[in-house]
Amino acid sequence: MKRVMTEKMPDGRGRFGAYGGRYVPETLMAPLEELERAYEEARADGKFQTQLDELLKNFAGRPTPLQFAPRLTEHLGGATIYLKREDLLHTGAHKINNCIGQGLLAVRMGKKRVIAETGAGQHGVATATVAARLGLECTVYMGTEDMARQRLNVFRMKLLGAEVVGVDSGSKTLKDAINEAMRDWVTNVRTTHYLLGSVLGAHPYPMMVRDFHRVIGKEARAQILEAEGRLPGWLFACVGGGSNAIGLFYEFLGDANVKMVGVEAGGRGGTLGEHAARLAAASGFAGARPGVLQGTHTYVLQNADGQIATTHSVSAGLDYPAVGPEHAWLAEQVRAEYTAVHDDEAVEALRTLARLEGIIPALESAHAVAEVIKRTPKMKQDEVIIVNLSGRGDKDMEILAKYV
Ligand SMILES: *Cc1c(COP(=O)(O)O)cnc(C)c1O
């Protein structure tokens, strides 16, 4: 089998080709360097790995199944479809993989407190959950607009012992919450770890968060070899920041015959402001070009003056103007392909999977399923594909009820 892309990424400065890096105020350089050192040490420490594996197994519920989808496969009449069931994890999505990893790292660094930002509240809930398990104090920053929309998740976080701080500035959503979390970190860095939720932000976050999600691809690779005796032809995953996608993709990057498709939020259409597709320009989604947002150089949705654009998606987890820098690099290398599906298509895919397989996926994951539904009928019957079900749909019932 042909192997490609064995080059180790990122480089020593946290760069994936032209992307990534560390674009932060001077005050954050020392904490980021401290974090990088601590992570490098932890990564090489067998005891840390043992603790991590134990929590992933007994607290989060790993390994997750790689499940054959018989009725979806028959319905589409093309390739054999497997579902990687991250939706079965504790708290309902892949996010817990990263939260456990960073939570353990915080303990190892002697920090007593973790802070996080959250949009829809999913990352906040996963962080509060791990903080409770590890006996860490937890503060979650959330825009007041998002708090009103996601009351149930605010209630969950409080029940888990976290303090939820409402952010009333700017658009009162995720990017304002990130700014407040940054301010807190600078002030309290001696006692506090900033538990970032996706493969975004300054080095070492994109690398570290990716590494904590690599378990998805490691398991999937062993499981598909066991089930089919060969590697898959295709991988599909939705891309918000890009953590569940890179978690699945990474172990297969060296296998030239494994094609990868990242699916972004196409929202209501290709006009800037109507979608959150950063890497899908070829599919007609306007407005993304390289820029710096929240500490990293990557593709960012922006207007002609460089103002960050507003975005739209039916799924909160994909609704963000920037994408993880490693995806920008994989897109440029044409190692992975990026496309986008519309709100309508994602909602329809959620219904299809629910009726045919008895699984209600998260609206985010439904984007990946929608792309599979589009492509599979044209594939040869002997193709094998894996689609990542990043989370379960319980959290989306109210949104769905309003949508229809
Ligand atoms: C947060 C979330 C996403 C998007 O985040 P990535 O970093 O792109 O994986 C996708 N699916 C679910 C279920 C989520 O909760």
Side-chain angles (χ1 to χ4, degrees):
M1 198 168 299
K2 232 180 5 173
R3 304 280 294 188
V4 292
M5 300 209 37
T6 46
E7 201 181 339
K8 192 170 174 293
M9 284 286 170
D11 67 18
R13 289 154 62 224
R15 294 186 161 274
F16 304 88
Y19 306 105
R22 194 177 270 166
Y23 296 85
V24 294
E26 201 60 44
T27 43
L28 280 178
M29 287 308 269
L32 286 166
E33 279 160 13
E34 181 199 0
L35 178 61
E36 185 184 358
R37 266 195 311 277
Y39 174 61
E40 293 294 348
E41 280 170 27
R43 178 154 71 167
D45 181 353
K47 227 179 81 203
F48 181 81
Q49 278 306 325
T50 306
Q51 282 178 324
L52 182 59
D53 291 347
E54 193 272 328
L55 281 175
L56 287 174
K57 177 169 176 239
N58 297 316
F59 188 58
R62 302 211 74 91
T64 60
L66 181 75
Q67 181 195 330
F68 173 51
R71 297 191 67 217
L72 185 65
T73 295
E74 195 193 325
H75 177 70
L76 297 173
T80 302
I81 302 166
Y82 283 84
L83 310 170
K84 182 59 174 161
R85 300 288 313 273
E86 295 295 293
D87 60 310
L88 292 176
L89 289 172
H90 186 36
T91 68
H94 68 292
K95 287 194 168 72
I96 193 99
N97 300 325
N98 169 50
C99 289
I100 290 175
Q102 286 194 53
L104 282 175
L105 191 62
V107 171
R108 188 185 161 96
M109 292 172 79
K111 312 270 175 178
K112 304 261 179 288
R113 176 171 179 261
V114 290
I115 57 171
E117 80 296 332
T118 197
Q122 294 304 113
H123 175 56
V125 169
T127 303
T129 298
V130 169
R133 172 64 182 76
L134 298 178
L136 294 163
E137 263 180 71
C138 177
T139 302
V140 178
Y141 288 92
M142 193 169 185
T144 47
E145 181 72 34
D146 288 336
M147 281 177 80
R149 281 190 293 209
Q150 305 287 341
R151 285 211 316 274
L152 216 54
N153 274 339
V154 174
F155 188 71
R156 277 193 189 106
M157 287 183 261
K158 289 183 174 165
L159 208 57
L160 289 158
E163 176 197 19
V164 181
V165 178
V167 178
D168 211 16
S169 57
S171 58
K172 305 173 188 192
T173 60
L174 180 62
K175 67 180 174 26
D176 314 288
I178 294 175
N179 290 337
E180 276 311 304
M182 287 284 201
R183 215 159 288 158
D184 181 319
W185 200 34
V186 171
T187 313
N188 301 301
V189 67
R190 227 170 26 80
T191 58
T192 300
H193 172 66
Y194 183 7
L195 208 162
L196 206 138
S198 190
V199 284
L200 292 161
H203 182 59
Y205 283 105
M207 169 182 77
M208 179 172 71
V209 176
R210 173 197 73 195
D211 289 350
F212 288 136
H213 285 300
R214 279 174 61 181
V215 63
I216 303 171
K218 280 183 192 157
E219 286 176 8
R221 192 183 171 94
Q223 288 165 323
I224 199 72
L225 286 174
E226 166 89 30
E228 291 283 332
R230 62 189 164 124
L231 292 177
W234 296 84
L235 306 174
F236 290 87
C238 64
V239 180
S243 68
N244 86 88
I246 199 71
L248 176 64
F249 293 175
Y250 194 80
E251 294 307 309
F252 298 93
L253 283 177
D255 301 300
N257 297 329
V258 180
K259 294 175 278 301
M260 302 171 186
V261 183
V263 188
E264 301 183 294
R268 291 181 290 239
T271 316
L272 187 61
E274 295 294 302
H275 64 86
R278 293 84 17 124
L279 297 172
S283 317
F285 291 86
R289 43 177 214 282
V292 169
L293 188 65
Q294 267 122 23
T296 193
H297 184 238
T298 184
Y299 269 70
V300 180
L301 286 164
Q302 49 192 304
N303 70 15
D305 301 327
Q307 293 289 332
I308 304 307
T310 54
T311 52
H312 166 79
S313 172
V314 69
S315 72
L318 304 185
D319 197 356
Y320 187 70
V323 66
E326 190 162 10
H327 288 290
W329 184 70
L330 291 174
E332 194 176 274
Q333 300 297 307
V334 203
R335 178 61 190 96
E337 175 194 348
Y338 296 84
T339 184
V341 306
H342 295 125
D343 287 352
D344 288 350
E345 297 170 311
V347 169
E348 195 48 43
L350 179 148
R351 293 169 169 284
T352 301
L353 195 70
R355 288 204 210 118
L356 290 178
E357 296 293 342
I359 298 167
I360 303 177
L363 277 169
E364 290 85 359
S365 323
H367 283 70
V369 177
E371 189 63 23
V372 167
I373 291 172
K374 275 193 210 174
R375 291 199 192 200
T376 308
K378 295 172 221 148
M379 285 183 191
K380 289 201 278 299
Q381 298 240 331
D382 65 355
E383 290 274 14
V384 172
I385 75 179
I386 296 176
V387 52
N388 206 19
L389 289 193
S390 53
R392 68 180 80 129
D394 307 30
K395 67 182 177 63
D396 294 323
M397 290 305 101
E398 229 175 306
I399 292 162
L400 215 58
K402 271 191 212 139
Y403 191 89
V404 292

